[in-house]
Amino acid sequence: MLDANTLAALRPDLLRFARLQLRDAAAAEDAVQEALLAALGNAGQFDGRAQVKTWVFGILKHKIVDTIRQQARSTNVSALGPQEASMDQTFDALFRDNGHWTPAARPRDWGDPQAALRQQRFWDVFDACLNHLPENTARVFMMREFLEFETREVCQTLGITVSNCNVMLHRARNALRLCLQRGWFVTGASTC
């Protein structure tokens, strides 16, 4: 049954997800409020084919995409900050001159990643790892991988080139891999 109490119980998870995507507490709060109001207003359309949480998260995802598109009309985040520059040095240390991984940086076996995805603790570690990324890099990653924007649209929205977008995605994936490897797959319990 879809009622105000059910939706209120989802609010903390929705808010955490929106903050992760938008990196702006006020915008995240607005998106969650709009999603909850839309869910409550359209409760009659909920037919029970999906879980309530899945249905409401779908609404929130659309609100987040709308917010990002709206912000893109007035904000240009293409300038690289000092964190992005220092990431170049970090990643250079992972590879030999011939482009192969150094022995210490070589990716390790992660066991069964599908099982880890189902564990809430994994998402806590992932959230911590994502928050360690430079803001622009995290935003590009989230738009492309979680919100499923096409690369072209990410570039247009953020005012960056395809090449810059691809570099940022590469950096984000590598940084997340390293952080998850340290904070989850190797130890299984700590954060970055």
Side-chain angles (χ1 to χ4, degrees):
M1 184 65 165
L2 185 61
D3 60 19
N5 290 332
T6 302
L7 294 177
L10 295 175
R11 190 176 182 287
D13 289 339
L14 294 168
L15 194 54
R16 195 171 106 240
F17 180 76
R19 283 183 180 150
L20 189 64
Q21 308 301 318
L22 297 173
R23 301 267 179 161
D24 178 341
E29 183 70 41
D30 290 345
V32 168
Q33 285 299 105
E34 289 177 23
L36 290 172
L37 286 172
L40 199 53
N42 295 304
Q45 294 179 4
F46 178 69
D47 58 9
R49 288 188 297 172
Q51 291 184 1
V52 172
K53 186 174 184 175
T54 303
W55 184 67
V56 177
F57 264 90
I59 294 170
L60 178 60
K61 180 179 172 182
H62 290 292
K63 298 292 181 187
I64 290 170
V65 169
D66 291 344
T67 300
I68 290 171
R69 287 181 177 145
Q70 183 180 18
Q71 288 173 344
R73 292 185 198 108
S74 61
T75 305
N76 183 351
V77 295
S78 62
L80 287 177
Q83 286 181 316
E84 284 88 353
S86 68
M87 286 180 68
D88 280 337
Q89 295 169 341
T90 302
F91 289 124
D92 286 346
L94 299 175
F95 301 96
R96 295 180 181 154
D97 290 337
N98 63 4
H100 293 271
W101 290 99
T102 61
R106 186 173 293 125
R108 294 181 184 93
D109 180 19
W110 288 9
D112 182 5
Q114 293 292 11
L117 290 175
R118 291 185 287 272
Q119 297 177 19
Q120 180 60 40
R121 181 74 178 122
F122 171 83
W123 289 110
D124 294 341
V125 174
F126 182 83
D127 185 28
C129 290
L130 193 62
N131 284 323
H132 279 75
L133 291 177
E135 186 173 333
N136 293 345
T137 303
R139 188 160 190 211
V140 167
F141 177 81
M142 296 305 292
M143 288 177 72
R144 179 70 187 101
E145 301 301 336
F146 277 78
L147 300 177
E148 300 176 355
F149 278 72
E150 295 294 326
T151 301
R152 172 192 49 78
E153 190 174 11
V154 172
C155 294
Q156 287 174 346
T157 301
L158 300 179
I160 59 177
T161 65
V162 172
S163 176
N164 189 11
C165 182
N166 289 334
V167 167
M168 292 173 90
L169 286 169
H170 177 75
R171 289 176 179 170
R173 289 174 183 136
N174 273 315
L176 289 170
R177 179 192 63 82
L178 289 170
C179 183
L180 287 171
Q181 192 167 298
R182 272 194 319 266
W184 180 257
F185 292 106
V186 172
T187 64
S190 65
T191 56
C192 301

